[in-house]
Amino acid sequence: MQTLYKKLVAHFGSQIQTASALQVSQANVSGYVSGRWNMSEIVAMRAELATSGKFKAVELCPSLKEFQKHSA
């Protein structure tokens, strides 16, 4: 998961730019990258929209994977 978050940061160019695009703090982005916490559902959906689908919300947020399994 951490690698995916690092790729997301690379996509935007920096943690600060990522934070701005996702409407969160830079500290949140740092937490995702370091593995301290996972991205919330809403932030993952913002990431998917902000990257035009390059990064999928279901890949960024583990709880969305669980939701997807139960709704299928």
Side-chain angles (χ1 to χ4, degrees):
M1 189 64 78
Q2 289 170 274
T3 302
L4 186 57
Y5 293 145
K6 288 177 184 177
K7 288 179 181 180
L8 181 65
V9 169
H11 172 84
F12 287 109
S14 72
Q15 286 189 10
I16 292 171
Q17 289 171 310
T18 304
S20 178
L22 303 183
Q23 302 170 28
V24 297
S25 70
Q26 180 275 326
N28 278 5
V29 175
S30 176
Y32 306 146
V33 171
S34 69
R36 283 180 295 203
W37 48 76
N38 289 319
M39 195 173 275
S40 72
E41 294 88 348
I42 191 123
V43 175
M45 289 185 270
R46 286 181 194 150
E48 184 169 336
L49 289 171
T51 63
S52 299
K54 181 175 180 181
F55 292 86
K56 303 293 183 201
V58 71
E59 296 168 354
L60 294 165
C61 179
S63 64
L64 286 175
K65 289 180 186 176
E66 286 301 312
F67 177 77
Q68 189 178 41
K69 277 195 252 181
H70 295 294
S71 65

